[in-house]
Coordinates of all heavy atoms in Angstrom, one line a residue:
Chain B
T291 N -59.1 34.8 -14.1 CA -59.1 34.9 -12.7 C -57.8 35.3 -12.1 O -57.7 35.8 -11.0 CB -59.6 33.7 -12.0 OG1 -58.8 32.6 -12.5 CG2 -61.1 33.5 -12.4
G292 N -56.6 35.0 -12.8 CA -55.4 35.3 -12.4 C -54.9 34.5 -11.2 O -55.6 33.7 -10.7
R293 N -53.6 34.6 -10.8 CA -53.1 33.8 -9.7 C -53.7 34.2 -8.4 O -53.8 35.3 -8.0 CB -51.6 33.8 -9.8 CG -51.0 32.9 -10.7 CD -49.5 32.8 -10.7 NE -49.2 32.4 -9.3 CZ -48.2 33.0 -8.7 NH1 -47.5 33.9 -9.3 NH2 -47.9 32.6 -7.4
Y294 N -54.3 33.1 -7.7 CA -55.0 33.3 -6.4 C -54.1 34.1 -5.4 O -54.5 34.9 -4.8 CB -55.4 32.0 -5.9 CG -56.0 32.0 -4.5 CD1 -56.9 32.9 -4.2 CD2 -55.5 31.0 -3.6 CE1 -57.5 32.8 -3.0 CE2 -56.0 31.0 -2.4 CZ -57.0 32.0 -1.9 OH -57.6 31.9 -0.8
E295 N -52.8 33.7 -5.4 CA -51.9 34.3 -4.4 C -51.9 35.8 -4.6 O -51.7 36.5 -3.5 CB -50.4 33.8 -4.6 CG -50.4 32.3 -4.1 CD -51.1 31.4 -5.1 OE1 -51.3 31.6 -6.3 OE2 -51.5 30.3 -4.6
I296 N -52.0 36.4 -5.8 CA -52.0 37.8 -6.0 C -53.2 38.4 -5.3 O -53.2 39.5 -4.7 CB -51.9 38.1 -7.4 CG1 -50.6 37.6 -8.0 CG2 -52.1 39.7 -7.7 CD1 -50.5 37.7 -9.5
Y297 N -54.5 37.6 -5.4 CA -55.5 38.2 -4.8 C -55.4 38.2 -3.4 O -55.9 39.1 -2.6 CB -56.8 37.4 -5.4 CG -57.3 37.7 -6.7 CD1 -56.7 37.2 -7.8 CD2 -58.2 38.7 -6.9 CE1 -57.1 37.5 -9.0 CE2 -58.7 39.1 -8.1 CZ -58.2 38.5 -9.2 OH -58.5 38.8 -10.5
R298 N -55.0 37.2 -2.8 CA -54.8 37.0 -1.3 C -54.0 38.3 -0.9 O -54.4 39.0 0.1 CB -54.0 35.8 -0.9 CG -54.7 34.6 -1.3 CD -54.3 33.4 -0.3 NE -54.9 33.6 0.9 CZ -55.0 32.7 1.8 NH1 -54.4 31.5 1.6 NH2 -55.6 32.9 3.1
A299 N -52.9 38.6 -1.5 CA -52.1 39.7 -1.1 C -52.8 40.9 -1.2 O -52.7 41.8 -0.4 CB -50.8 39.7 -2.0
A300 N -53.6 41.1 -2.4 CA -54.4 42.4 -2.6 C -55.3 42.5 -1.4 O -55.6 43.7 -0.9 CB -55.0 42.3 -3.9
F301 N -56.1 41.4 -1.1 CA -57.1 41.5 0.0 C -56.4 42.0 1.3 O -57.0 42.9 2.0 CB -57.7 40.1 0.2 CG -58.7 39.7 -1.0 CD1 -59.1 38.4 -1.0 CD2 -59.1 40.6 -1.9 CE1 -60.0 38.1 -2.0 CE2 -59.9 40.3 -2.9 CZ -60.4 38.9 -3.0
R302 N -55.4 41.3 1.6 CA -54.6 41.6 2.9 C -54.3 43.1 2.7 O -54.4 43.9 3.8 CB -53.3 40.8 2.9 CG -53.2 40.3 4.4 CD -52.1 39.3 4.6 NE -51.2 39.0 3.4 CZ -51.3 37.8 2.7 NH1 -52.0 36.8 3.2 NH2 -50.5 37.7 1.7
K303 N -53.6 43.5 1.7 CA -53.2 45.0 1.6 C -54.3 45.9 1.8 O -54.2 47.0 2.4 CB -52.5 45.1 0.2 CG -51.8 46.5 0.2 CD -51.0 46.6 -1.1 CE -50.4 48.0 -1.3 NZ -50.2 48.4 -2.6
A304 N -55.5 45.6 1.3 CA -56.7 46.5 1.4 C -57.4 46.4 2.7 O -58.3 47.2 2.9 CB -57.6 46.2 0.2

Side-chain angles (χ1 to χ4, degrees):
Chain B
T291 55
R293 278 190 51 226
Y294 173 48
E295 290 65 30
I296 298 174
Y297 281 89
R298 295 205 79 166
F301 287 170
R302 222 176 3 249
K303 193 172 167 201

